């Protein structure tokens, strides 16, 4: 099974989401980062788009897979921020926020598997 196509699709979809619904992403950007939250929203969206393209192209797939693993690791603090911010939300929303945290592990492993071919 070719795992690179669904990974590229996931990253591409995330990139588009950053552009069309930036307010959601803005809200989970850790406030400790320098600059505006919108800057980080767009920068991470561009990174996701570039990594999606790298994963999709066989010649750059290995580098793209490693870049995807790094990206999934880099955005983990935003998921922590979301979990902290949503700790007083209704149970369903808390479950979503907390569920995103361990999801990063299989995403990183998936990206590494794509990188290693």
């Amino acid at each position: 099974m070719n795992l690179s196509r669904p990974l590229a699709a996931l990253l591409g979809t995330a990139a588009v989401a950053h552009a069309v619904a930036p307010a959601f992403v803005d809200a989970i950007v850790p406030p400790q980062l320098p600059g505006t939250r919108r800057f980080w929203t767009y920068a991470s969206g561009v990174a996701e788009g570039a990594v999606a393209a790298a994963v999709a192209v066989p010649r750059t797939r290995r580098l793209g897979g490693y870049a995807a693993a790094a990206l999934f690791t880099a955005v983990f603090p935003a998921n922590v921020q979301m979990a902290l911010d949503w700790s007083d939300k209704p149970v369903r929303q808390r479950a979503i926020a907390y569920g995103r945290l361990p999801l990063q592990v299989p995403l990183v492993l998936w990206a590494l598997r794509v990188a290693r071919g």
Side-chain angles (χ1 to χ4, degrees), residues 1 3 6 10 13 17 21-22 28 35 37 44 51-53 56 61 64 68 80-81 89 92-93 99 101 103 108 117:
M1 179 178 170
L3 297 175
L10 173 73
T13 300
I28 65 172
R37 288 180 170 199
S44 61
V51 172
R61 185 163 295 142
V80 171
Q81 187 66 50
K89 300 278 187 188
R92 184 173 187 271
Q93 288 176 290
L101 297 173
L103 183 60
V108 169

Side-chain angles (χ1 to χ4, degrees), residues 54-55 57-69 111-112 114-117:
V55 168
V57 176
R59 192 176 69 178
T60 57
R61 185 163 295 142
R62 182 174 185 191
L63 177 62
Y66 286 123
L112 291 173
V114 166
R116 293 175 183 147

Side-chain angles (χ1 to χ4, degrees), residues 13-35:
T13 300
V16 170
H18 281 64
V20 299
F24 175 81
V25 182
D26 289 348
I28 65 172
V29 172
Q32 299 84 357
L33 289 174

